[in-house]
Amino acid sequence: MQLTTTVNDESRVVEVAGTEAAVDVVRDRLGLTGTKLVCGSGVCGACTMLVDGEPVLGCLTPATRLRDASVTTVEGLADGDELHPVQRAFAHHDGLQCGYCTPGFVVGAVAFHDRWRTEHGTDEPDRETIADALAGHLCRCGAYEGIYRAVAAACRGEHDGGAGTVERVDAPAKVTGSAVYTTDVSLPGMLHAAFRRSDVAAGIVGPVTFPAGVVGVDLLAREGTGDRRVRWAGQPIAVVAADSPAEARRIARELDVRVTPQPFVVDPDEAVRPGAPLVYATRADRKAAPSAGEGGSMPAPWDGNRHGPSRTPFLGTVAKRRIASARSAGSAAPGATAAPGATAAPAATAATAAPGAPAAPAGPSGDRTSGLVELELRTGVQVHTAFEPHACVADWSDPQHLRVWLSTQGVDLMRTEIASHFDLDPAEVEVVAEYVGGGFGAKLSLTMEAVGAISLSRIARRPVKLVLDRHEELTGTGNRPGSRSRVSLLVDERSHAVKALTVDTDSHAGVAVGNSVAALAMLMYDRTPRLARDVDVVTNAPPGAPFRGPGGPTSAWALEQTVDEVAHRTGRDPIALRAQWDGNQKRQALYRWASALPTWQQRPVTGSASGRFRRGVGVATGNWIYLVDPDCEVVVTVARGRLVASTASQDMGTGSRTVVARAVAGVFGVDPTEVEVRFGRSHAGTTHGPASGGSRTTVSLWSAAVEAATSLRDRVGRDLGAAPDGASATAKRGGDRGLRAVPITMNGIQVGRGFSAALHVSEVEVDTRTGRTRVLRVHGGIAVGRIHAPVLARSQCEGSIIQGIGLALYENQVLDPHTGLTLTANLEDYRIPQLGDTPEIDIHFHEDGWDRVPGGGVGLGEVATISPAASVGNAIFNATGWRPLTLPVRPDRVLAGLRTVVAR
């Protein structure tokens, strides 16, 4: 049918079939791609548009609703070149990161702002009012604090009349919807692709039969191993292309694919029992297992479904002997060993505890000994959930040149991997990712949407687009693996010095291996005898993938709960005890800062609270390695009197564009918005740029950009108007005095000397009637040296806290034990933090200690995410006297734990 509608003050006539949603018409028919499709079920708010002045969800609104209506999308909010006050506020207060959810937030906030200003003038709405107004909007990056600040400031009238600066150089493109992501790319003659996926968790697949005239690829046949097995429910079997996404999905569903189901196991506890079905039955199968970590997995033995341990000794024999001796001597206090989900009973007095420290009741003899503390802790599976789904547009129309638009964290890395996979010269490949809607580690490798789209384009010699839906995104694109860790910590009964530490971790990353959790715990505190044993327990579940600080939050959950338990039993202040053990001077500075916080000084005695709502404060700390890409190059050019900086890197919301712009602008004394940064493209003519992973992007880019700009300035001066057009300078990051010699350098990455540091203090409120935990306030201390873009760095650290809260309280992938299918495959069942879950956040940067590093600082994206979840767990213990040992800390687990406290 044909309908007429007015969109952004322009009359439009569109053809609709009557079954489309409004978001499909706006994006696909009208080309207004600022409106994003994320969840498809009315949960996230990314597709919000105004219809007759009221905000509606485009994914739930029938296209026929647009008939004779007045529609405003994010592209229509500005008045010519004059942005709406809300758009200016979002840009000034950095109420965004990757920007994929930003248009929906902006449209919803504009509706609230205009209504509020009419009714309340310039009075400021409180946080609860803003949260209620935008409750239907989600941000996976966790930019909620900036959103609060932006909406409040706009309502106060601070951004009327053009007021406010731009902190993020690409913010204008993101708040107006003009930023083009891979999902927004549309090419003439383009086909659309869809996967046929396995609906069984294990099976043998017969040949795939494609109907006549259908462009399709048997993905299992392409692997060339002769292995026709599927090992997890949702694994891609084949991919087909058609003229529309709906037609491609229909063809994929109706493909003649015969699968013979085989026995499977999805529960890691069941997987290690005798007689469990083997996920990998042969040596060749095991060798081909995917990696859940960065850089592949270490060699380790296999025993059934167990892979490992890969040992990290650190005087492990001594540690084992000391702990075994302590066990046999019975020096562990009563109740020192806790079963999963149980509470370790306290067994020491706090007669000399520091002010504000939790008191622990006296042990049988009334002394202050603790001896051996042993806990077993578990974590669930956390899914990356980037809002821009994995997506690829491949154009191999020209047999001599492959152009790929890809939602990726490494345009240069992917160009190399694509060339290798398809046996091409890298000079024949171009990879484009102008804007990337989040990744968090899941977009660091060559994944199946790219392989599928490229393969189909080679056959059809037409562009092919393949975009995953939210169900696919939440099923098989990666996750932070679940775990079970057993920690044994032996301390001297008088001095409380660490005598031995062992950590044994079983990680379950589905069919993937290569997790490192226990090994990371060895990098904290005293260099005492210690032993780490990491084991992968493989199951017929979707594969894990690197996730922001791979292994770090999981390791911190296990170690920091145990350290907190030692502090409790010895009556020591948890910060003071850590400071006694920790020789890292950067963390020592953070301990001094945290100890002086009123939130910490007013911390209640553990378990002393009463009544329905109980408040508590917890602390946790963490570190991360310093990585750098020494081959990173930046080119700075004068083009028509304007500075242009370029490299083959990308910005997935971390602010890399802004970092380069600020580096160059500082040399020439201009505003960063006056520097054009050309990112997101890798081809034969571009210089090498770093991938966005391992917290190496900023530290690699900054010094190269400064050096290139300085070289250019020394040649042409500061007067760009007089500079010859095309004048340029190139600089390579190179090494520095802090680089550590390593046996293997992977993908040009080197390991630097020293560790960045973080410390988080969280305050929670536990509702003892419902079991619900609210995080009220979080103080985050970050020691990474010089901060090159303070507002954006703060936004990154705030987002890491939000993701940590998700890990601590909400997020957990759940599989059907009978089928292996993912049950949490939408954003209602897979719960991520919302605006109303956001605590008050205070970020403190300690900028000393990295003078030897060019630029004076290192990356913060990963270290900032290590300890938030652990600090929340310790705060719950302080509030209730019950120690949570399993993540997420769901209400039912809280209520069950509180019953054990009452029973004692």
Side-chain angles (χ1 to χ4, degrees), residues 471-487:
H471 185 284
E472 292 175 298
E473 192 69 25
L474 286 166
T475 297
T477 60
N479 57 68
R480 189 188 300 283
S483 69
R484 181 183 68 173
S485 294
R486 296 165 297 284
V487 184

Side-chain angles (χ1 to χ4, degrees), residues 64 125 183 197 222 261 266 305 370 415 742 771 809 897:
T64 53
T183 55
R197 296 178 178 270
R222 282 188 57 82
V266 295
N305 288 323
S370 61
R415 183 164 72 98
V742 291
L809 300 180

Side-chain angles (χ1 to χ4, degrees), residues 33-54:
T33 57
T35 304
K36 305 301 183 193
L37 178 62
V38 171
C39 70
S41 56
V43 179
C44 72
C47 61
T48 301
M49 60 186 75
L50 301 179
V51 178
D52 294 329
E54 291 298 319

